[in-house]
């Protein structure tokens, strides 16, 4: 199947997302909550991606090419105000796991888990302090990472990961983040 119009459009949507992000970052306006301009881009991109999915199904590599598949993942990964959309896309990734980049599924799984105050599987998400957010199983972490082509972590890095029991304390450090997650429907 030829979905080249979607290929170009998906890449342009992701590029716009990253361009606005860079502009806000350089202006020092990206921290301190979900910037309205960034949220508008994320919501518009998610809306359009839903329309594309309704037309062609999940934008796999064989349907839209590798670069547009990457762009689709970025759009999904950034649709943080839409938990059900992200979860639905994860289920579609599971269904098409032989036709997507396995890293996409790993990052999305972890992001969804962290937004829900649950331990992640692959160790892709960090706390605000830059430490890996708690994981489901430290002993099998590198095995899980290897399955999706993530580099192995050193024993030292793994030992620095807080335990899952520390999640309430970690999440309680940012009251605005907790309020936002409740409002968005994550918790």
């Amino acid at each position: 199947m030829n979905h080249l119009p979607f290929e170009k459009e998906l890449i342009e949507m992701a590029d716009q997302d990253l361009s606005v992000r860079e502009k806000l970052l350089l202006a020092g306006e990206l921290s301190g909550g979900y910037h309205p301009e960034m949220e508008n881009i994320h919501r518009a991109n998610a809306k359009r991606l839903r329309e594309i999915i309704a037309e062609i199904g999940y934008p796999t590599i064989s349907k839209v090419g590798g670069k547009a598949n990457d762009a689709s993942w970025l759009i999904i990964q950034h649709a943080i105000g839409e938990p059900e959309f992200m979860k639905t896309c994860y289920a579609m990734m599971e269904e098409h796991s032989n036709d997507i980049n396995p890293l996409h599924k790993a990052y999305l799984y972890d992001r969804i888990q962290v937004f829900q105050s649950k331990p992640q599987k692959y160790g892709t998400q960090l706390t605000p302090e830059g430490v890996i957010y708690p994981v489901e199983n430290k002993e099998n972490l590198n095995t899980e990472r290897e399955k999706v082509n993530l580099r192995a972590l050193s024993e030292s890095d793994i030992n620095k990961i807080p335990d899952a029991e520390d999640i309430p304390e970690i999440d309680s450090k940012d009251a605005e983040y907790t309020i936002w997650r409740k409002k968005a429907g994550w918790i």
Side-chain angles (χ1 to χ4, degrees):
M1 269 186 238
N2 181 352
H3 295 294
L4 289 179
F6 293 123
E7 177 183 31
K8 184 177 186 297
E9 182 180 4
L10 289 164
I11 293 166
E12 287 172 356
M13 289 163 55
D15 286 348
Q16 180 192 21
D17 177 317
L18 295 174
S19 174
V20 170
R21 183 183 190 286
E22 184 66 20
K23 177 189 84 168
L24 294 172
L25 189 62
L26 290 173
E29 297 177 16
L30 200 56
S31 59
Y34 198 8
H35 193 282
E37 186 177 359
M38 197 81 265
E39 183 177 9
N40 289 338
I41 294 289
H42 292 162
R43 288 199 180 276
N45 283 349
K47 179 181 185 290
R48 180 62 185 133
L49 181 56
R50 271 194 293 280
E51 294 167 357
I52 292 170
I53 290 171
E55 190 166 330
I56 68 166
Y58 190 81
T60 59
I61 294 168
S62 64
K63 288 180 184 174
V64 297
K67 193 168 180 187
N69 175 257
D70 290 346
S72 299
W73 165 77
L74 181 115
I75 291 164
I76 296 161
Q77 187 83 344
H78 288 178
I80 61 175
E82 302 190 36
E84 292 313 311
F85 175 66
M86 291 177 75
K87 291 174 187 178
T88 298
C89 288
Y90 179 78
M92 285 187 266
M93 287 179 169
E94 277 283 319
E95 190 179 321
H96 299 285
S97 57
N98 62 336
D99 198 11
I100 64 164
N101 181 335
L103 281 175
H104 297 170
K105 197 170 76 167
Y107 273 87
L108 186 58
Y109 176 87
D110 281 359
R111 179 163 271 203
I112 289 169
Q113 290 292 100
V114 170
F115 278 139
Q116 298 177 115
S117 293
K118 296 178 182 176
Q120 57 183 329
K121 183 185 284 188
Y122 305 98
T124 64
Q125 306 296 297
L126 306 177
T127 67
E129 295 80 26
V131 177
I132 295 173
Y133 194 84
V135 296
E136 295 169 358
N137 187 325
K138 288 183 188 182
E139 292 76 32
N140 290 332
L141 181 58
N142 279 333
T143 302
E144 294 299 334
R145 290 175 65 87
E146 194 175 288
K147 289 177 188 176
V148 296
N149 303 320
L150 283 166
R151 70 170 180 78
L153 296 171
S154 70
E155 183 93 17
S156 170
D157 285 340
I158 292 172
N159 289 335
K160 291 177 190 170
I161 300 172
D163 294 326
E165 297 80 39
D166 299 327
I167 289 175
E169 181 186 336
I170 292 165
D171 288 351
S172 72
K173 291 179 183 175
D174 189 343
E176 282 185 40
Y177 172 62
T178 300
I179 291 167
W180 173 82
R181 288 185 305 141
K182 285 179 182 174
K183 182 180 160 201
W186 284 109
I187 53 175

